[in-house]
């Protein structure tokens, strides 16, 4: 059995992965290229192993069984969910929010919301308007200055069609694969930020806008509704990944964040209109982005 | 209702004219709208629903019985959420 091992850091926290599956190992390195840094000589605090026995790939964390899969495709997500949980547990200097985030003109737009609220779709849509990708799922707030750090994990997208304009496409590499749901195989892809889109790990942004998206499939248009700062703080608390770690300071951090930002709820039926509304909010004249490639993206409103 | 009091372990933030409360016991968060926030504040002055209603009526110049009903409902909700006990 030939083993491959890599050491990597996420938010300076050291991990190690060992596997006997070369294909998964290569995929792991590729998909993580924007999110992680190579290990920096620190001893890994958490070690993962992904070893294939006769039937399953078995995932262990520091020797303890975590999960097993019959196929290769869930392995990356599964290991990275363990990594994410580990960060929430160990890093007390960051608040983690369930939120998408993009940056433009040195300010960040946060898109907090539960699963299927439209965070990833909106994140993809806004890339076409010149926003820098920070994350589609995990916003990292540095508690020392309340600024947002990039957490550039691959964007997980349903379907194999083009999701961004040709202009934006060159900043991402797309990995297509199929996942089994019941008896059918469904097409998915990862969009991995490439060199030009990768932000230095110490880059940070002030939060300028907090927009809570809500996808409504029965609605044809999109609209923005201002929310009070108290309601915004309440909603941020609801979308905290590690809020219970902080007790007293979690509420204070959310209160301070909303005091600095303009807060809205976005009821989203039409993605293109939703993007233009945010573009208008951030101080830029709403620009209409039209192209043939983009038409498929705007039609993705049902595919969150 | 007279014996109700605010729990001392709650974390409370007043943001503009509304209140957000974090319950460290349950990890639940509660958001009080402007009227509930006023009732929450006035509860410190007097826990009596009638006294709270009178204070509100003095400012809003509205019907006491309606306001008292709203105050009672609000205090009942706060009690059911476990932030008054």
């Amino acid at each position: 059995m030939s083993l491959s091992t890599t050491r990597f850091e996420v938010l300076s926290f050291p991990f190690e992965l060992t596997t006997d599956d070369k294909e998964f190992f290569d995929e792991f390195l590729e998909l993580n290229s924007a999110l992680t840094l190579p290990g920096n000589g620190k001893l890994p605090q958490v070690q993962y192993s992904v070893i294939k026995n006769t039937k399953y790939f078995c995932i262990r964390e520091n020797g303890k069984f975590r999960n097993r899969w019959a196929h290769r495709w869930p392995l990356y997500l599964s290991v990275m969910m363990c990594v994410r949980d580990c960060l929430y547990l160990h890093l007390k200097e960051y608040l983690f929010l369930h939120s998408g985030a993009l940056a433009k003109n040195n300010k960040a737009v946060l898109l907090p919301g539960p699963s299927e609220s439209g965070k990833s779709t909106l994140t993809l849509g806004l890339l076409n308007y010149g926003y820098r990708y920070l994350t589609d799922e995990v916003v990292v707030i540095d508690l020392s200055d309340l600024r947002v750090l990039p957490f550039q994990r691959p964007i997980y997208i349903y379907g194999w069609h083009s999701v961004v304009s040709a202009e934006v496409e060159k900043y991402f590499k797309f990995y297509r694969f199929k996942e089994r749901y019941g008896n059918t195989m469904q097409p998915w892809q990862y969009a991995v930020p490439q060199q030009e889109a990768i932000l230095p790990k110490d880059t940070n942004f002030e939060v300028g806008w907090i927009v809570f998206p809500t996808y409504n499939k029965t609605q044809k248009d999109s609209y923005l509704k201002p929310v009070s700062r108290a309601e915004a703080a309440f909603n941020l608390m609801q979308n905290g990944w590690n809020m219970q770690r902080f007790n007293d300071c979690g509420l204070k951090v959310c209160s301070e964040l909303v005091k600095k930002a303009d807060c809205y709820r976005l009821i989203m039926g039409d993605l293109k209109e939703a993007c233009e509304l945010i573009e208008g909010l951030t101080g830029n004249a709403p620009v209409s982005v039209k192209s043939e490639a983009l038409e498929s993206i705007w039609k993705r409103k049902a595919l969150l | 209702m007279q014996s109700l009091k605010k729990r001392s372990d709650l974390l409370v933030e007043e943001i503009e004219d509304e209140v957000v409360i974090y319950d460290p016991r349950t990890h639940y968060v509660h958001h009080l709208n402007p009227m509930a926030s006023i009732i929450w504040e006035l509860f410190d002055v007097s826990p009596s629903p009638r006294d709270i209603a009178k204070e509100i009526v003095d400012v809003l110049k509205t019907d006491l019985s309606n306001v008292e009903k709203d105050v009672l409902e609000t205090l009942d909700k706060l009690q059911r959420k476990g932030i008054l006990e």
Side-chain angles (χ1 to χ4, degrees), chain A residues 18-178:
Chain A
T18 300
T19 181
D20 61 351
D21 189 80
K22 186 73 172 73
E23 203 171 317
F24 164 65
F25 185 73
D26 292 342
E27 178 189 276
F28 186 86
L29 295 183
E30 287 260 24
L31 293 177
N32 258 355
S33 55
L35 176 64
T36 65
L37 285 174
N40 194 19
K42 283 190 226 168
L43 279 179
Q45 292 207 27
V46 179
Q47 293 168 304
Y48 294 101
S49 67
V50 179
I51 304 293
K52 193 176 185 188
N53 59 28
T54 48
K55 268 177 119 177
Y56 298 106
F57 291 96
C58 196
I59 301 175
R60 290 178 187 277
E61 182 182 279
N62 287 342
K64 284 187 187 163
F65 174 80
R66 283 297 299 254
N67 224 327
R68 67 178 190 185
W69 298 96
H71 303 280
R72 187 176 287 110
W73 60 260
L75 294 177
Y76 173 74
L77 266 186
S78 197
V79 170
M80 290 315 290
M81 279 173 82
C82 296
V83 165
R84 215 177 57 182
D85 290 348
C86 221
L87 296 173
Y88 300 159
L89 190 70
H90 289 95
L91 298 182
K92 292 178 184 166
E93 61 269 45
Y94 303 114
L95 175 70
F96 296 98
L97 296 171
H98 193 186
S99 174
L102 301 109
K104 201 174 194 180
N105 302 329
N106 293 320
K107 282 202 169 185
V109 184
L110 305 191
L111 307 168
S115 298
E116 306 205 345
S117 59
K119 295 185 299 296
S120 294
T121 305
L122 197 52
T123 302
L124 283 166
L126 285 169
L127 291 175
N128 298 297
Y129 288 81
Y131 287 80
R132 300 294 299 265
Y133 173 64
L134 298 181
T135 185
D136 73 328
E137 175 92 355
V138 180
V139 158
V140 184
I141 306 283
D142 188 332
L143 294 183
S144 66
D145 55 10
L146 301 186
R147 292 172 77 91
V148 184
L149 299 173
F151 193 89
Q152 293 180 296
R153 61 173 223 146
I155 309 174
Y156 188 53
I157 307 156
Y158 179 76
W160 281 0
H161 46 274
S162 179
V163 290
V164 284
S165 64
E167 173 74 13
V168 178
E169 208 160 37
K170 62 187 178 199
Y171 297 115
F172 289 84
K173 194 168 174 183
F174 296 88
Y175 294 86
R176 293 174 171 176
F177 59 100
K178 286 191 170 180

Side-chain angles (χ1 to χ4, degrees), chain A residues 263-302:
Chain A
C263 307
Y264 296 87
R265 181 168 297 287
L266 172 67
I267 313 299
M268 192 164 62
D270 182 272
L271 176 62
K272 183 179 177 185
E273 197 177 357
C275 292
E276 286 171 5
L277 285 167
I278 291 179
E279 177 70 350
L281 262 190
T282 56
N284 303 295
V287 182
S288 188
V289 178
K290 277 185 182 162
S291 82
E292 218 169 272
L294 281 176
E295 286 312 308
S296 65
I297 304 166
W298 308 139
K299 285 174 191 156
R300 286 185 76 248
K301 61 183 180 180

